[in-house]
Amino acid sequence: MRLDDEEMSDNVEKRTGGGMRNIGIGGGIGGIIIIVLALLFKQDPQQVMQAVQQGQGSGQGQETAEKLTKENASPFEIMSAKVLRSTERVWKQEFQQKNKNYEIPRMVSFQKGTESGCGFAESAMGPFYCPADHRVYLDVSFFDELEQQFGVKGDFAKAYVIAHEVGHHVQNLLGISGRMQAMRSRMSEKEYNKLSVMLELQADFLAGVWANQANKIRPFLDPGDIESGLNAASAVGDDRLQQASTGQVVPDAFTHGTSAQRMFWFKKGFESGDVSQGDTGIGLGSW
C-alpha cells in the first residue's frame, strides 16, 4: 500500500497516559484474545463497555491529549492518519454527488484505555466507532497484537479496519444506525443479532467502496493488498471465531457475519465502488 504522497488528516487526536481498568472476564488471556477479535468491528460498544467495567478497581492515570503530528506519531499512527485523510476525501466526494454534507469524523489514537462518548474504552475492546461523539477509537497496541498473535499482516489489513469503522460513521450520518437502535427494544436478542450482522456487513461493503474510489482518486494499492483485506475480513467471521473459542458454531448468536459473508461484501464494495449496491437487508438510509 503506497501512501507516501498522501497527507495526514488534521482530525486525529493522540492521547497518552490513560489508565487501564481491570477486566473482570473469565477465561484468562485466551478468553480476552477471543473477545478482542469478536469485538474487532463492533459498532455499538456501550453494552460491552458496561460489562468490562465491572472488573476490580481502576488503574486510570492522568491523561493528556494533543493533535497528532509527524513529530509525535508512530509509523502506525502516521499510516492511520493518512488512511483517515483518504476516507475524508472519498466520502466528501460521494456525499457531494448526492447533494449531502459529509461531517468528517475525528479519530483518537490511544493506548491501554481512554474515555469516549460511549464510556471507558479498554484495549481489549479493539477498534470501534462511537456514534455519540462521532469518533473512531484506535488502540495502537491492539494492531501490534493483531499482527503478532493472529497473523493478520499488511498495512492494508489495518486500513480495512479503519475504513470499516468510518463506514459505521457513514451509516450514522445516513440514519441507518439510529433506526436500528430505535428498533432494538422491540426485538428479541436473536432478531436484533440478524440486524447487527446486516449492519456490520454493510460497513464491510463501505470499506470496499472506499478502497475502490480512493484508488481511482490517488492510486495506492499494490498487488496483494486486497487479498490482505479479504484475509482480515475472513479472520473475524463469527463462524471462525465461535469455532475457535467453543468448538461449535451457533448462527443465532452471530453479530457480524460469517467469514464468507464478510469477504463477499467487502469484495462487492471494492469491485462495484457503488454505494447504491450496498443494501445488505437494512436499507441505505437517506442515501
Side-chain angles (χ1 to χ4, degrees), residues 160-171:
Y160 159 65
V161 174
I162 297 168
H164 174 102
E165 300 306 336
V166 172
H168 283 311
H169 177 66
V170 171
Q171 290 172 319

Side-chain angles (χ1 to χ4, degrees), residues 92-103:
K92 182 178 180 180
Q93 174 179 282
E94 290 291 306
F95 272 56
Q96 283 180 340
Q97 290 175 357
K98 290 291 183 178
N99 295 315
K100 296 179 181 295
N101 180 53
Y102 179 63
E103 178 188 336

